[in-house]
Amino acid sequence: MSQDLEVYHERTRRRGVNSLVYWPVRAVVKPAILAYFRLRRLGREHVPESGVILAANHRSFLDPFAIGCAVKRPIFFVAKQELFRNRLIGWFLNCMGAFPVRRGESDEESVKTALALLERGGAVVIFPEGTRIRSGSLAKPKRGVGRLALQSGAPVVPIALTGSEHARVCERGTAA
């Protein structure tokens, strides 16, 4: 599987997002999420146009979509390798800016990809807790955000998502 994952890293480092997929999908998804979930986006002026690490809490599978709607430019996501098992889904996620990480270990390939994106001025989203924490307080963060910040010199902008844990309920306006 690690050889398969290298393809996604190489594609992300070389091409970034796939514009033919990214922009049309974003054009459809963004208005839907903004309207249906009544998403409020506060503090976007604090996200620099240069390389930046966006560190967000993670309550729902919809969180990456909400973050993508809040930031004006293409963003890249550190995503668990299990999401890339299906080649079609892996290809699609990679087109949308996701690249795989092997959780629970030091994944040098993911670090190399994130550093390359940050050096080019990209915005990299990472969930410091390493997994979804559906309720309660935040979990203890993993070391990835700190390592990327120290190695790249890129600023870390925290992102707080609230209400997304209720998205499964599918009631209008329950996710913010």
Side-chain angles (χ1 to χ4, degrees), residues 2 5-6 8-10 12-13 78 81 99-118 126 143-144 147-148 151-152:
S2 65
L5 297 180
E6 287 178 26
Y8 299 118
H9 289 289
E10 182 58 35
T12 301
R13 288 192 291 256
V78 178
Q81 72 176 2
F99 60 92
V101 64
R102 293 187 323 264
R103 298 186 299 170
E105 58 185 278
S106 181
D107 186 345
E108 295 303 319
E109 204 63 26
S110 291
V111 171
K112 184 177 170 183
T113 299
L115 290 172
L117 292 167
L118 292 167
I126 189 167
R143 296 184 298 233
R147 179 179 179 187
L148 285 178
Q151 285 188 259
S152 69

Side-chain angles (χ1 to χ4, degrees), residues 4 10 16 35 54 58 60 63 65 77 82-83 93 100 122 128 130 134:
D4 292 338
E10 182 58 35
L54 303 172
H58 195 13
S60 166
D63 292 341
F65 298 101
F77 290 91
E82 294 84 359
L83 295 174
L93 292 173
R134 290 194 174 93

Side-chain angles (χ1 to χ4, degrees), residues 135-148:
S135 62
S137 63
L138 299 174
K140 183 178 178 183
K142 308 293 186 212
R143 296 184 298 233
V145 172
R147 179 179 179 187
L148 285 178

